[in-house]
Every structure is written in C-alpha cells, then in structure tokens.
Amino acid sequence: MANKWNYGTETMVLRKFGINETYQLATYLLDQYRGTVLSCRHAVPPRLASAESRTQLEEVVKVAVVDTIMRHPMLQVGMMDATSRTPSWIQLQSLDLTQHIKWLYIEGHNDFEQTVQETFRVQLDNRFPDLSIKQPGWKITVIRQGNAPIMEVLLTWNHSHFDGAGAKVFHEDFLEMLNNTENGAYERTGLDGDILKLPQAPPLLPTPIESLKSLPLDLKCLAKAFWEQTRPQFLNRDVSLAAWCPIRSTPYKTQFRAFFIDNASLLAILALCRQNKTTITGLLNGLALIAFSSHLDSTAAPAFQSSTIIDHRRNLPSAPPDAPWVRSDRAVGNYVTQLLHKFDRELVARIRSKLPADASEGRDLSTDLQRELWAVSAQNRLEIVRKLEAGLRNDLVGLYKYVTDWQQTMSNMAKKRRQFSWLVTNIGVLDGNTSTRLSTTRSDNGQRWSIGRAQFGVSADIPAAAIEFATVSVAGRGMCVGAIWPDCAVDAMLGERIMADLERWLAQLASQS
C-alpha cells in the first residue's frame, strides 16, 4: 500500500491549502459533497483492441497515467491536518497505482452504456479512503468489453485537489501521453511494477490565486456581504431565494441524469447563440429559468437566483519557468469562482404569463417564449462578460479571505435558506484528438487514440443550488448536459421534468437553425 512506502519518513510540508481547497475539503468532511467525475470514451487503436492485447493495453494505460502524474504535481500529493482549520499538502515518496487505476471488464452480453452510467452514478457518491492514509484523492476507472474498439475512462476525484477545468486538462494530457507511448516503450524512471517512486525533489504545486494576485474588494461589496451573513433570517425578505427547496443533509444520495447532443445539432444551437449575442452557458441559464418557472408556481417561487461557475485561469500570471504544466491555463488545481444571477418577480411573472395553460404536458417553446429566452440568455452572457472584464475585483474568493473556519461556516450555511435554485458549470470544449498539439500523418490516424464523447458530473452539493447543470463538449463530436440534485431535497419528478424540457427545447432550437 502507498502508506507503507511513505511510513516512517519525515513529512515534507509543501504548502498550506488555499482558500478554494480549504472550502472544498470542508464540504467533503461535513459530507455535504463527495466526488466529481469526468468520463471520456476513447477509441482504442486496433493493435490494442483485441482481448489478447489486454496485458499490453493495461501497460500502455499505466505508463500514460504515470506520465500525466509527472506533469501535474497535484496528482502526487497527500494531505496533513485535514480536519484542522489549516490543512497542508505534503510530499509523498511513492504512489501505489493499484489505488489509482481500476479496470472493470464486462461480459459481451452486458449493456456497455448502462454499465458506464451505473458506474458514473455510483462513483459520484463514493467517498475516498481515510485522508490520514496520505494518498492522493483521485482515481481512474477503465471499462472494457471484449474486443470492442472503445473504452470508457472515468476520472473521479476529491475536489480539494483540482476543479473541473483541471480534470479536462488531465484527460487531454492523458490522451496525449497515450499517443506518445510507443509500442513496447513502457519503462519509466521510478516505476517498479505498480509502485511509482516519486522524485526526491519537492514538487512545485500550482499556487492559489490569492497568493498570486490581489483580490480587491470595494467597501460597498464588503459591507453587503457582511450584512447578508450576519442579519437574522427573519429580516431577509428576498423572494428570489430558493425557499421552495429547504436544505436537507441526509440521507446523502446524488440523483444524476444526462442527455447527449450530436455535433450537427450543437453547431446549429451555437449559430443561434451567436445570432442572439449569447453562449451555451447563457442559453442554459435562460432555458432553466423557463423550466423552473413552468414547474414551480408563483407562490413557491416568485423569483429566482442562479449561479454560474467561472474559471479564474485567465487571471493567472504566466506559469513559473520550471512548472511541468508549462502554461497557466493547463494547471491542474483549484481556480474556480461563482457569479450570481437574479431573475426578478416581474420577469418571472412575464415568462409565466406566456407559458401554455398546461405546461406540465411538455410543449415546444412558443415564439413569445423564445423572445424572452434570447433576451434573458443575452443578459446572462452580458453579466458573465462584465465579470470577466472586472477580473478579480469584488470576487467571491476575495470575500472568502475573511472566513477563518470553513467547517463551521459551511455547517452554518446548511441551516439557512437555500440561495440558488440552479447552477451551471460548463467546463467547455475538450480536445479529443490533440490535433492542435500533436502532428499526425494520414497513415497513422487509425492507430491513434482519440476521444469521441465526454460526460461531466458533480455529486449533490447539499447547501448549494437545488439542481446543478454540468456540461462538457468534445471538439467536433457534440455535447453532454448533466443534471444533479440531492435526492433528499429535490423531488425526482421535478428534476426529470426540467431535464426533459431542456432536452426537448434544445432539440427544437437545433431544428430551427
């Protein structure tokens, strides 16, 4: 086991946890959040696809994982003082790869897609080994079936280590390493069987953004945040809060649903987004607003708030010269923030007035509703653009600097009214063939690895949004839209109806373009 190889050695503390890392760890320790999964479907080169090549395939995957680990130090480190207010990342001497690479071989009569979805759902709710074991909180699960020319690779991780954009980088770099692994060239320095001996030199970890850049806060922003945190609940008459969905913590179980959009449909939808000055993220917020307005009445939800996850990597300085990940936008770490959106009572009432009399039946969007949709989606995109232009000023992570005890803060949050009805986290477009970074020749394309589709999901985030939408696209292949909610707080029928609306309306928009 990995802890045997690290036992009895002097612990090397690399650095304290950053703000985002401490926040993520607190939600994990309180069982408010568990795992995150990004799954990719690989086309396996014919020379490795046969059942007879199983040993060789496993070796190729292991070596590619090792090369990816060496590029991204957050995959190499353990935690110390995890339950304290100030946890630390520590250097490990070795990794037991049997703890980080799992193979699932299924029989020919089994349904491959069903197995993938069941495994995906289970892993969202899986907890990682005891943090005191001192091994990194991530693993990949590879699903194979006979001689099939595909394999599914599920990356599951503890969000303290890195975010969804970091997971996308992991998959892209893992794909690059698979294609760089020449037939038979499987030896790697430090790799002895399934034990990877890590370099003695302390690894350079990506630096938290608050240690790299100033996070300035205007006095008005600071005062507003302080008042919202400290005022008694009975003084908070904001009707846009998600009071319709009280926060419940147990029993913990994630509900996950997903649908896929093919590339032709996605291109048609993107063309409409450009015409209407918005993006996929803006459109999803707009569609969610109409769906929630349709299925919740004005007494339960007169208005709404939602949240969009934003990637801060664009605000990072250049990576250090000796950083193995080379570029700041390729850092596997935690660099996310959130942007709040409010949809007031007047807007929501106007949308409800344009819904069909029996909206529960599932109808297409009328011309009037489409006008509202594009107006809301364009406004949403404008708010995101303004946030990006503002950089780090008045950012949520800047406010987080004043939190001294994250476990207590998150415990208190679970006792308040829920703020967000929904959240959108879109990790963008994954490069499935590395064509921008690797030169390929026509003759070897059939022998190369590629990714045909991806699926992204988060576990139920107990005090956060009632329903979270998680999306990822693969360049030239289409998009997956996932929805997640806590089983103990959100009625499954509501979640499924909202997802059915989104799937129907996106198909409608694609057919109109």
Side-chain angles (χ1 to χ4, degrees):
M1 292 292 290
N3 54 329
K4 182 181 81 173
W5 287 74
N6 291 297
Y7 179 74
T9 61
E10 185 177 346
T11 301
M12 168 69 76
V13 175
L14 299 171
R15 66 164 171 81
K16 298 288 187 186
F17 270 42
I19 292 171
N20 254 325
E21 295 162 342
T22 312
Y23 154 69
Q24 295 290 351
L25 180 58
T27 62
Y28 179 80
L29 292 170
L30 294 169
D31 205 23
Q32 294 179 348
Y33 187 91
R34 292 190 181 177
T36 316
V37 181
L38 178 59
S39 177
C40 289
R41 184 156 300 177
H42 288 253
V44 181
R47 62 186 173 83
L48 295 170
S50 69
E52 292 73 28
S53 301
R54 173 171 168 170
T55 301
Q56 188 183 0
L57 176 65
E58 290 184 0
E59 198 68 22
V60 168
V61 167
K62 180 166 67 175
V63 168
V65 169
V66 167
D67 290 345
T68 308
I69 289 170
M70 299 315 298
R71 181 177 287 182
H72 298 294
M74 288 306 298
L75 303 172
Q76 306 171 22
V77 294
M79 302 178 188
M80 188 175 77
D81 301 327
T83 59
S84 73
R85 292 187 184 186
T86 55
S88 296
W89 295 112
I90 58 171
Q91 181 179 7
L92 301 178
Q93 288 192 341
S94 61
L95 299 182
D96 179 355
L97 295 179
T98 63
Q99 302 301 307
H100 300 283
I101 306 173
K102 307 288 185 180
W103 287 85
L104 176 58
Y105 289 96
I106 63 175
E107 299 296 327
H109 62 268
N110 291 340
D111 187 311
F112 185 82
E113 180 62 23
Q114 184 179 339
T115 302
V116 168
Q117 295 304 326
E118 287 175 355
T119 307
F120 193 99
R121 289 188 179 97
V122 166
Q123 296 212 352
L124 285 174
D125 278 357
N126 276 356
R127 291 186 64 80
F128 291 87
D130 186 335
L131 299 177
S132 65
I133 289 176
K134 295 182 172 55
Q135 66 183 34
W138 65 271
K139 66 177 179 180
I140 66 164
T141 303
V142 186
I143 303 177
R144 282 282 289 151
Q145 185 176 40
N147 297 321
I150 58 171
M151 71 181 193
E152 194 80 16
V153 179
L154 293 83
L155 171 65
T156 308
W157 73 97
N158 183 328
H159 209 307
S160 302
H161 281 268
F162 50 92
D163 55 26
K168 180 160 70 85
V169 171
F170 175 101
H171 271 289
E172 289 176 338
D173 286 359
F174 174 58
L175 177 61
E176 178 185 338
M177 301 309 181
L178 285 170
N179 277 315
N180 284 349
T181 304
E182 294 180 8
N183 192 17
Y186 303 146
E187 290 188 14
R188 289 296 182 272
T189 303
L191 182 58
D192 181 8
D194 289 317
I195 302 298
L196 175 62
K197 194 167 190 291
L198 296 166
Q200 288 187 343
L204 173 67
L205 300 186
T207 304
I209 196 163
E210 67 272 12
S211 299
L212 293 170
K213 289 287 194 78
S214 170
L215 297 163
L217 295 169
D218 296 340
L219 185 59
K220 180 181 176 183
C221 173
L222 194 57
K224 181 183 177 186
F226 177 76
W227 170 240
E228 288 182 352
Q229 284 298 311
T230 58
R231 69 176 166 184
Q233 286 286 293
F234 71 88
L235 290 179
N236 190 347
R237 296 187 172 88
D238 187 346
V239 296
S240 67
L241 296 176
W244 63 271
C245 185
I247 295 171
R248 298 188 181 95
S249 302
T250 57
Y252 189 100
K253 182 183 178 182
T254 299
Q255 290 287 351
F256 177 82
R257 306 289 187 275
F259 61 84
F260 292 88
I261 297 171
D262 64 37
N263 195 55
S265 298
L266 179 58
L267 290 175
I269 293 166
L270 285 168
L272 278 176
C273 285
R274 283 191 291 271
Q275 287 174 28
N276 290 279
K277 296 182 171 56
T278 192
T279 59
I280 289 290
T281 301
L283 176 61
L284 288 172
N285 269 298
L287 290 170
L289 173 61
I290 296 175
F292 275 83
S293 300
S294 171
H295 295 290
L296 297 171
D297 64 33
S298 58
T299 304
F304 295 103
Q305 289 188 43
S306 78
S307 170
T308 297
I309 300 299
I310 305 286
D311 183 4
H312 263 326
R313 283 169 177 78
R314 60 176 52 79
N315 294 312
L316 294 175
S318 299
D322 52 345
W325 58 91
V326 182
R327 298 192 336 242
S328 292
D329 64 333
R330 306 298 295 173
V332 171
N334 263 302
Y335 292 109
V336 291
T337 189
Q338 289 191 57
L339 173 63
L340 177 153
H341 310 283
K342 278 196 176 186
F343 308 93
D344 63 30
R345 190 194 295 260
E346 181 184 354
L347 169 63
V348 175
R350 191 168 69 243
I351 286 173
R352 285 191 171 121
S353 73
K354 297 178 179 181
L355 290 167
D358 187 3
S360 64
E361 288 301 309
R363 308 278 180 83
D364 282 355
L365 294 168
S366 66
T367 304
D368 274 357
L369 273 175
Q370 287 190 50
R371 274 195 287 268
E372 295 289 351
L373 168 66
W374 292 120
V376 167
S377 302
Q379 175 61 28
N380 192 269
R381 180 244 178 195
L382 189 60
E383 291 169 4
I384 294 171
V385 168
R386 285 173 181 159
K387 166 64 186 166
L388 298 179
E389 289 174 347
L392 299 172
R393 178 169 292 278
N394 295 329
D395 187 77
L396 197 59
V397 180
L399 289 169
Y400 285 173
K401 289 187 298 185
Y402 296 96
V403 176
T404 56
D405 186 338
W406 270 109
Q407 290 183 62
Q408 187 61 54
T409 298
M410 296 311 297
S411 181
N412 291 342
M413 186 174 288
K415 298 168 187 171
K416 296 182 177 181
R417 268 182 286 180
R418 192 184 301 275
Q419 181 176 3
F420 301 118
S421 287
W422 71 89
L423 172 150
V424 176
T425 174
N426 179 1
I427 59 173
V429 182
L430 189 149
D431 182 357
N433 58 25
T434 66
S435 57
T436 57
R437 286 176 286 143
L438 294 172
S439 60
T440 63
T441 61
R442 189 176 299 273
S443 61
D444 73 352
N445 275 344
Q447 292 295 329
R448 298 191 67 77
W449 292 83
S450 62
I451 292 172
R453 77 171 210 190
Q455 180 173 300
F456 177 44
V458 298
S459 61
D461 197 343
I462 294 299
I467 299 181
E468 302 186 291
F469 300 103
T471 67
V472 62
S473 306
V474 175
R477 295 300 184 98
M479 178 173 73
C480 177
V481 179
I484 304 97
W485 61 86
D487 184 66
C488 60
V490 178
D491 183 79
M493 188 174 292
L494 173 66
E496 286 169 358
R497 283 177 172 172
I498 286 175
M499 271 298 267
D501 283 345
L502 263 62
E503 185 172 13
R504 181 188 312 106
W505 295 338
L506 285 167
Q508 177 192 350
L509 294 174
S511 68
Q512 290 176 186
S513 177

